[in-house]
Amino acid sequence: MNRPSLIDMSLNEATAPLYARVKNVIPEIEWPVFAPDIAAINALKRERNAVILAHNYMTPEIFHCVADFVGDSLQLAREAAKTDAKIIVQAGVHFMAETSKILSPEKTVLIPSLEAGCSLASSITGADVRLLKQKYPGLPVVTYVNTSADVKAESDICCTSGNALKVVEAIARDFGTDTVIMIPDKYLARNVAAKTGVKVITWEGSCEVHERFTAQEIRDFRAAHPGITVLAHPECPPDVVAEADFAGSTAAMINYVGDRKPNRVVMITECSMSDNVAVEYPDVEFVRPCNLCPHMKRIALDGILQSLETMTHEVIVPVDVAARAKTPIDRMLAVKA
Ligand code: SF4
């Protein structure tokens, strides 16, 4: 019989409280695969004065076991601006790491995989925004944070899925206009337009994860699970949002579950989200559709560890671009939640 070594036993002891937290979503047999990297990451980030910012779509061993701050894009952007740590490791996709760098230019921002992109961010360039501004002179440009620094730099204000409606109405008031340009997510733009009198000109971008959900799928969930509460992300097509009981950002969905404690819920969004929320609310039954974001899934524990060990991949945003991109982000952060 193989007896556990002293090293294994101390590792087990060190990580036991973390495993207790995630035992409902990570099978016991998988824990020995994660535990060594988790222990090493947590030790190294203390040594390096680093923090890990993890998006709600990270897998539970990242989200619950090594992250210092978790949340949606808006919450992570705020944490990036506040933290005193010297190093930020972004457990998320590239545009999020750029946003952290823009808000914290004096800090070293690392991303574990340079391939962690985003279909929305890659749908539009700064040159595209300049052409839009020529076509619609004088209209404010509202840019979803899921964009590159170049695109933000051409914009008047940023928004997230959590504050998009408020931002659109605030910037329309500031500009004294009834029309705004909202880029690049056509579905988020249409979902916002459905709730406001402000007219919205948009772009042909979409999230490759949320656009796959269909209204029929929602009806099928309701038929298969009577009484289920359906929460949808506003990057979903409008007919999907129309079938949901509630539509909101990932943070708003988490708050909905925390406040209302539905018996059974389905979150129409990236699939790791349900695992992460289920850890907090073990009494709520989660039906889990599994649409994975291939970009988010490029971030794994071994990559985070390597990032901290080798200080790669450092995210650089040219100073002039960062300065211009910071203005619309600051303007968004000043809009009251
Ligand atoms: S889930 Fe969609 S919006 Fe989010 S990073 Fe993936 S592709 Fe981009």
Side-chain angles (χ1 to χ4, degrees), residues 33-277:
V33 177
F34 297 135
D37 282 351
I38 288 170
I41 290 167
N42 286 333
L44 198 50
K45 74 182 184 187
R46 279 193 295 274
E47 196 181 299
R48 292 220 189 272
N49 189 14
V51 290
I52 296 176
L53 306 186
H55 188 265
N56 290 329
Y57 296 159
M58 291 292 107
T59 45
E61 70 279 5
I62 295 174
F63 188 91
H64 288 288
C65 301
V66 299
D68 297 281
F69 301 102
V70 295
D72 63 7
S73 303
L74 178 60
Q75 290 167 319
L76 296 183
R78 289 188 195 278
E79 292 302 339
K82 277 194 306 199
T83 182
D84 292 330
K86 280 194 183 142
I87 297 164
I88 293 172
V89 180
Q90 198 84 33
V93 294
H94 194 263
F95 74 80
M96 295 177 181
E98 276 192 340
T99 305
S100 293
K101 183 66 185 176
I102 291 163
L103 292 175
S104 307
E106 74 291 356
K107 291 168 194 152
T108 302
V109 177
L110 305 174
I111 187 156
S113 168
L114 286 174
E115 291 176 7
C118 170
S119 64
L120 279 170
S122 61
S123 73
I124 190 162
T125 64
D128 292 328
V129 186
R130 287 193 290 278
L131 286 173
L132 271 175
K133 290 196 290 192
Q134 278 172 24
K135 191 170 170 192
Y136 302 105
L139 293 187
V141 177
V142 179
T143 293
Y144 195 25
V145 285
N146 297 31
T147 45
S148 67
D150 277 341
V151 168
K152 291 184 178 80
E154 299 294 338
S155 309
D156 295 295
I157 191 165
C158 286
C159 75
T160 68
S161 56
N163 62 17
L165 177 62
K166 278 197 186 313
V167 164
V168 162
E169 292 185 338
I171 199 77
R173 262 195 316 274
D174 285 358
F175 274 62
T177 174
D178 65 353
T179 308
V180 305
I181 299 167
M182 187 176 182
I183 53 172
D185 186 343
K186 62 181 174 184
Y187 294 131
L188 179 65
R190 285 179 200 160
N191 286 323
V192 167
K195 290 193 193 162
T196 176
V198 179
K199 291 192 219 69
V200 176
I201 295 165
T202 189
W203 185 253
E204 267 301 308
S206 58
C207 162
E208 68 188 84
V209 175
H210 291 95
E211 72 177 352
R212 295 209 304 268
F213 291 105
T214 65
Q216 184 58 50
E217 231 175 320
I218 310 297
R219 291 191 287 273
D220 292 345
F221 280 125
R222 289 200 193 277
H225 308 280
I228 197 164
T229 299
V230 180
L231 310 181
H233 193 280
E235 288 170 12
C236 293
D239 61 333
V240 172
V241 168
E243 293 282 342
D245 297 299
F246 172 80
S249 66
T250 53
M253 285 193 230
I254 294 170
N255 290 342
Y256 186 102
V257 174
D259 293 344
R260 310 229 188 160
K261 309 265 185 346
N263 292 331
R264 192 184 263 176
V265 70
V266 58
M267 292 180 152
I268 305 301
T269 189
E270 211 271 350
C271 88
S272 291
M273 169 95 175
S274 298
D275 289 339
N276 291 329
V277 188

